[in-house]
Amino acid sequence: MTKLFDPVRVGPYALSHRVVLAPMTRLRAEQPGDRPGELMAEFYGQRATQDGLLIAESTPVARNGIAYAGGPGAYLDSQIEGWRKVTDAVHAKGGRIFLQLSHSGRMSHPDIIEGEVPAGPSVVRAEGGGLTEQGYVDFAVPRALDVAEIPRILAQYRSAADRALQAGFDGVELHAANGYLPDQFLQDGTNLRTDEYGGPVERRARFLLESFGVMASVWGSNRVGVRLSPSGQFAGMSDSDPESTFGYVAHRLGILGAAYLHVIEPRIKGPDDLVEGVAAPAVAAATLRKYFQGPIIAAGGFNPESARTIVSKGFADMVAFGRPFVANPDLPERIRSDIPLAAHDRATLYGGDHRGYTDYPKASASMAA
Ligand SMILES: Cc1cc2nc3c(=O)[nH]c(=O)nc-3n(C[C@H](O)[C@H](O)[C@H](O)COP(=O)(O)O)c2cc1C
């Protein structure tokens, strides 16, 4: 029976345990310029463990691919130096770190992206809203991307992947979950196109697979992971046949040799627990196991006990924790030693300074206090 603290291999890396940091937008980049700084390096360094895996937050590949102002980017060369501080801090502790590359597509607003109208596969407005520097704004009605614009976006993914390489990351993750652009193309609730990027699943998956392909051209496919949220309803996402859609993608990514599949479980809606219940037949990590032979990371609402269970049942190989990692910088050690977990403060999740970010103590420090 596999255990949470058994070693596991991801691409070329031998990991010492299976507790992963889930990507979390915390909006604490240095401004102007969306540059990571010492504060972010401290945050990730605190959470690094010897041969443990961290996935750094959603990082836009383009200036017009931002949903929440104030986060770090990978769309300018001037952002590389700050990321180098982050990767150095993690490597100093023997850890591994992947960067999650994202494009918000339709999930944005002119006030966030310098007056531009956000663009997605089709004219279908995203539910919810994003953050400008001044505060919350509903997502705008998007325009549909012209097919001739797609090569430029793919080139942006490629350049961002190259910047991640220059910054010393160990790999990259394609953000194809939570209603970001590859997810918008993939699911039929948001893709009404009739060209080569719309219609049957093979065409709806094309943008996602091409994005993966350009990232893999920089990194090799075994250092590129993909995050999916097959039953996610965040931003109003929906698909009429999630198992066929996501099963197809998982199968194709397996053939291409992706580093891992990172699957958000159906009980989660973006950064929150889903209270209304799941409408469509739920597709979970266990479902996609049939389609993808490489390592699977499950995420969403796990506690130490449920994490041990899913790994021991073999439905997932690793478990990514988001919110529990916010207030427990030493989460793997706490889980391993059965130390109770601290609760996080919601008010300091998005934006601000070190408070609620790097000032949560380790268990040894809080017990000594
Ligand atoms: C503050 C916050 C920011 C998040 N930002 C991202 C993100 O940048 N990319 C992403 O894929 N998911 C993001 N998520 C979702 C988490 O990665 C994770 O899937 C979700 O929180 C459920 O896991 P948990 O129950 O362990 O928190 C975010 C969640 C939170 C709470």
Side-chain angles (χ1 to χ4, degrees):
M1 205 167 67
T2 311
K3 299 208 175 75
L4 205 49
F5 290 91
D6 286 347
V8 64
R9 180 162 279 277
V10 166
Y13 307 116
L15 303 180
S16 62
H17 65 82
R18 296 155 184 255
V19 177
V20 175
L21 171 69
M24 276 185 292
T25 294
R26 303 298 305 277
L27 307 182
R28 281 165 166 90
E30 291 186 350
Q31 302 302 338
D34 294 347
R35 289 168 291 113
E38 299 292 349
L39 183 64
M40 285 179 53
E42 190 183 349
F43 174 83
Y44 287 105
Q46 286 175 340
R47 282 152 187 79
T49 51
Q50 182 68 46
D51 295 308
L53 178 62
L54 309 182
I55 304 167
E57 64 213 79
S58 169
T59 298
V61 302
R63 180 65 192 90
N64 62 2
I66 298 176
Y68 308 97
Y75 57 87
L76 293 173
D77 288 345
S78 54
Q79 291 155 341
I80 297 173
E81 192 190 323
W83 283 122
R84 171 60 75 176
K85 292 181 186 150
V86 171
T87 61
D88 282 350
V90 172
H91 292 152
K93 292 180 70 179
R96 298 287 182 191
I97 181 163
F98 278 43
L99 181 62
Q100 186 186 53
L101 295 180
S102 67
H103 194 301
S104 56
R106 70 172 189 150
M107 272 201 313
S108 196
H109 185 282
D111 289 355
I112 309 173
I113 51 175
E114 296 176 340
E116 258 190 68
V117 175
S122 305
V123 185
V124 182
R125 185 181 185 160
E127 283 175 14
L131 292 172
T132 67
E133 264 135 43
Q134 280 71 45
Y136 178 91
V137 64
D138 281 339
F139 292 131
V141 176
R143 67 179 181 84
L145 282 164
D146 192 285
V147 71
E149 295 177 272
I150 292 179
R152 173 144 186 267
I153 301 176
L154 294 173
Q156 290 168 330
Y157 275 98
R158 190 198 314 266
S159 300
D162 187 58
R163 292 187 187 102
L165 187 68
Q166 292 179 53
F169 280 94
D170 298 295
V172 281
E173 176 178 284
L174 173 63
H175 193 354
N178 294 346
Y180 278 76
L181 188 55
D183 200 20
Q184 293 162 30
F185 270 99
L186 181 63
Q187 300 203 48
D188 60 15
T190 40
N191 184 341
L192 313 178
R193 301 175 75 95
T194 52
D195 62 7
E196 57 267 48
Y197 287 92
V201 64
E202 294 79 7
R203 291 202 233 140
R204 283 183 283 119
R206 182 171 171 175
F207 181 80
L208 188 163
L209 294 171
E210 287 181 346
S211 306
F212 176 85
V214 294
M215 288 163 66
S217 73
V218 175
W219 281 92
S221 57
N222 70 340
R223 291 193 290 171
V224 183
V226 178
R227 194 170 213 218
L228 303 172
S229 49
S231 294
Q233 297 169 22
F234 186 66
M237 295 303 295
S238 69
D239 191 81
S240 58
D241 187 358
E243 180 162 352
S244 305
T245 297
F246 288 91
Y248 173 78
V249 169
H251 174 68
R252 295 286 311 157
L253 289 171
I255 293 171
L256 294 169
Y260 60 78
L261 208 60
H262 186 175
V263 184
I264 305 177
E265 298 290 74
R267 58 183 167 269
I268 290 294
K269 185 172 180 178
D272 294 310
D273 296 316
L274 184 64
V275 279
E276 313 93 274
V278 177
V283 175
T287 327
L288 295 184
R289 196 51 134 183
K290 296 191 287 251
Y291 301 93
F292 183 81
Q293 281 68 46
I296 292 189
I297 307 176
F302 283 95
N303 58 38
E305 193 192 339
S306 57
R308 285 194 181 95
T309 304
I310 194 168
V311 168
S312 69
K313 286 193 169 156
F315 294 149
D317 302 287
M318 291 167 275
V319 176
F321 289 87
R323 291 164 295 177
F325 238 127
V326 169
N328 299 278
D330 51 349
L331 184 69
E333 189 46 43
R334 289 199 199 205
I335 296 176
R336 193 201 304 260
S337 307
D338 280 325
I339 298 169
L341 302 187
H344 69 274
D345 172 16
R346 281 183 70 97
T348 48
L349 282 178
Y350 300 104
D353 52 23
H354 68 285
R355 285 169 293 181
Y357 189 51
T358 53
D359 61 353
Y360 289 108
K362 289 183 170 185
S364 51
S366 58
M367 285 195 296

